[in-house]
Amino acid sequence: MKIITTPDPRLREKSEKVRVIDDEILGVIADMRKLSLDWEKEHPYELSAAMAAPQMGVLKRIIIVRDDMEDKKKATFTALINPEVIRADGKVVKGDEGCLSVPEIYGKVPRPSKVRVKAKLEDGTEVRIKATGELARTLLHEIDHLDGILFIDHIKDDEKAFYRMNDKGELEPVKDYEAEIRDNVELWGEE
Ligand code: NI
């Protein structure tokens, strides 16, 4: 199992719903947790906040979200199965986003600041989550992955809103962002 990156076409597919939470599904979730933490070990300045199953090439509607997004030592994740946005509203706010599948590139993405999501936990319990701020952003980013959408799709190409991380862990504006993104990523959506 490994994290796949753009332009892998599997990142652009729609994932299918999980019908039964069986050992196979629990195994996928265990692999996601492990991969997120393995990735973090290799990226000292970054925190692995969340991940979606298609990012390891498994086209199932499963995401994991870090329980504590501040403290790297608290490395537990909640898995959400078949997560669905039932409402997204509030002020649209721009915030920095990165993605394990879009290496080194960060961008300012506009998202609604309030969201309601319904999903199932690993034990089959149905939950409804009301989130704001970073958690709302994270949920929207991850649920997008299940529909083949990447954060870069939400940034208009005239906004010059891309950054990359340097060796010291600082974000620097990407100057020739078009070339940079074009090399790394199939350009937003259209064939
Ligand atoms: Ni992502």
Side-chain angles (χ1 to χ4, degrees):
M1 285 292 175
K2 68 180 187 91
I3 289 170
I4 59 173
T5 55
T6 52
D8 191 308
R10 288 172 289 178
L11 290 168
R12 293 311 200 169
E13 283 182 41
K14 205 170 159 67
S15 292
E16 59 177 32
K17 267 197 163 183
V18 172
R19 291 180 193 286
V20 188
I21 304 171
D22 55 13
D23 286 346
E24 188 199 327
I25 295 299
L26 296 176
V28 168
I29 294 169
D31 286 344
M32 289 168 75
R33 288 191 168 109
K34 181 174 184 311
L35 261 187
S36 296
L37 295 174
D38 286 351
W39 180 91
E40 193 170 282
K41 277 182 210 140
E42 289 166 26
H43 296 79
Y45 299 113
E46 290 161 281
L47 178 132
S48 175
M51 169 180 180
Q55 292 182 272
M56 55 177 204
V58 175
L59 298 180
K60 303 224 181 266
R61 301 187 81 83
I62 306 169
I63 65 174
I64 59 169
V65 180
R66 188 100 164 207
D67 297 317
D68 185 328
M69 300 213 197
E70 308 288 320
D71 187 350
K72 268 196 163 191
K73 279 176 246 141
K74 293 185 185 154
T76 60
F77 294 84
T78 295
L80 299 177
I81 297 163
N82 300 334
E84 233 179 284
V85 176
I86 47 179
R87 208 165 135 186
D89 52 18
K91 209 171 127 195
V92 173
V93 177
K94 279 186 193 172
D96 288 327
E97 289 186 30
C99 180
L100 310 186
S101 296
V102 187
E104 289 173 46
I105 300 292
Y106 290 79
K108 289 214 181 293
V109 182
R111 303 254 189 208
S113 53
K114 280 190 199 167
V115 68
R116 279 169 201 250
V117 169
K118 72 170 191 184
K120 273 191 177 165
L121 301 178
E122 281 157 276
D123 65 3
T125 314
E126 268 209 36
V127 289
R128 275 161 197 265
I129 302 160
K130 224 165 131 182
T132 58
E134 270 313 293
L135 181 59
R137 177 172 296 283
T138 302
L139 289 167
L140 290 168
H141 176 121
E142 299 309 324
I143 294 170
D144 268 356
H145 273 300
L146 307 179
D147 293 314
I149 299 166
L150 300 176
F151 78 89
I152 50 173
D153 301 340
H154 294 294
I155 302 175
K156 291 210 188 73
D157 54 6
D158 58 1
E159 280 184 89
K160 306 248 188 300
F162 291 103
Y163 297 83
R164 84 168 23 252
M165 190 168 281
N166 68 20
D167 298 339
K168 295 178 199 133
E170 299 155 348
L171 290 181
E172 292 174 342
V174 171
K175 290 199 185 78
D176 189 1
Y177 78 97
E178 275 192 3
E180 192 121 7
I181 306 294
R182 196 182 317 113
D183 292 346
N184 267 308
V185 178
E186 49 180 313
L187 266 176
W188 16 96
E190 276 113 320
E191 297 292 303

